[in-house]
Amino acid sequence: MPLLATRVPLQASDDPALPGLAVLCRPAELTAMLSPRLAPWLGPDAHLLDSRAYLRRLSPGKRCSVELELVVGRANGFPAERRRLLGKLYREDQGATVYQTLGELRHHGFGAGRFIVPQPVAYVPEYRLLLLTWAEGELLRSVFLARSDAAQEIAGAAEWLLGLHKCGVRTGRHYSFLGHLQTLAGWKELLAEIHPQGERLMGALLARFEERGRELSGWTPGPIHRDFSPEHLVVHGDQFTGL
């Protein structure tokens, strides 16, 4: 599901299958839960005064992305400041694996510079809640819709993905080449429903992928972003953040 254009108030009834949703709807309880877990990230002279959660994306029965708006007080007398985090709720315990994988990626070249991933701030297992730094910028999808020429951003997205393939991370789920072909075949059917004229081209591409795969027997598997799309990349100037 695409990221919502605007944030909307969160309700516990949005998805009963997600056990952590209820606490996000109660600001006082949410703030009490977040305070000790965010202390290392906020720093020794800061403390959490208030927090609110807003819905940004919902995949019913699976996961939910929320924008967490934080009010942070300072011990030195400076005015309180507002900060944001991205929260991801899961039905099961995938958040722990995502937390580990993001940490690995940041230690393999994606922690600073032009191509990055968000910093994993904390994982709260009892609520299956993953907390990440907020990625400033625009979704690549929004760039495509707003501009007729996004060649520079497309090139940057390709470079980000190439960097991922070459970074050397070995943790996370593993997929076979055959599994990828089956996934792409499913996408081909969906694309054909929307754009029938492209079915032949997509079929030719899949055949070429399969042919090249046979030629590359014995290749060393590398990391991928299995759901890579314009929804999963944030552009901020010349910086690209993968989600």
Side-chain angles (χ1 to χ4, degrees), residues 140 143-144 147 149-158 233 235 237 240:
L140 185 58
V143 175
F144 287 166
R147 290 167 42 188
D149 180 11
Q152 182 176 343
E153 287 77 12
I154 292 172
L233 209 62
V235 183
F240 294 78

Side-chain angles (χ1 to χ4, degrees), residues 206-218:
L206 285 177
R208 180 58 176 157
F209 293 159
E210 186 172 4
E211 178 186 344
R212 288 289 291 150
R214 289 196 298 267
E215 295 172 1
L216 295 174
S217 60

Side-chain angles (χ1 to χ4, degrees), residues 58-187:
L58 177 63
S59 297
K62 296 180 179 179
R63 57 190 174 273
C64 173
S65 293
V66 298
E67 177 182 343
L68 292 169
E69 184 179 81
L70 313 175
V71 180
V72 180
R74 294 290 176 183
N76 52 19
F78 285 105
E81 63 175 347
R82 293 185 179 274
R83 301 179 70 173
R84 288 189 291 178
L85 287 175
L86 175 64
K88 289 193 172 186
L89 280 170
Y90 297 88
R91 183 181 62 185
E92 299 179 351
D93 210 27
Q94 303 99 312
T97 302
V98 176
Y99 181 94
Q100 178 187 7
T101 300
L102 287 173
E104 290 279 344
L105 288 171
R106 289 181 64 86
H107 282 95
H108 283 76
F110 282 88
R114 189 178 175 211
F115 304 116
I116 62 174
V117 295
Q119 175 190 347
V121 175
Y123 179 63
V124 188
E126 56 266 42
Y127 296 110
R128 297 170 185 164
L129 172 64
L130 176 64
L131 301 171
L132 309 172
T133 52
W134 185 264
E136 297 292 344
E138 286 186 280
L139 282 175
L140 185 58
R141 174 180 181 271
S142 299
V143 175
F144 287 166
L145 293 175
R147 290 167 42 188
S148 59
D149 180 11
Q152 182 176 343
E153 287 77 12
I154 292 172
E159 289 184 61
W160 185 96
L161 191 58
L162 178 62
L164 176 67
H165 293 332
K166 297 170 64 176
C167 73
V169 170
R170 293 287 181 262
T171 57
R173 292 179 293 178
H174 289 72
Y175 302 97
S176 67
F177 182 69
L178 178 60
H180 280 300
L181 289 178
Q182 292 171 343
T183 299
L184 290 173
W187 279 107

Side-chain angles (χ1 to χ4, degrees), residues 29-40 42 47-50:
E29 189 174 339
L30 174 62
T31 302
M33 182 269 287
L34 291 177
S35 290
R37 294 170 172 89
L38 296 184
L42 292 174
H47 57 282
L48 188 62
L49 298 174
D50 190 31

Side-chain angles (χ1 to χ4, degrees), residues 229-243:
S229 77
E231 298 287 346
H232 295 102
L233 209 62
V234 175
V235 183
H236 185 56
D238 197 39
Q239 188 176 67
F240 294 78
T241 304
L243 303 178

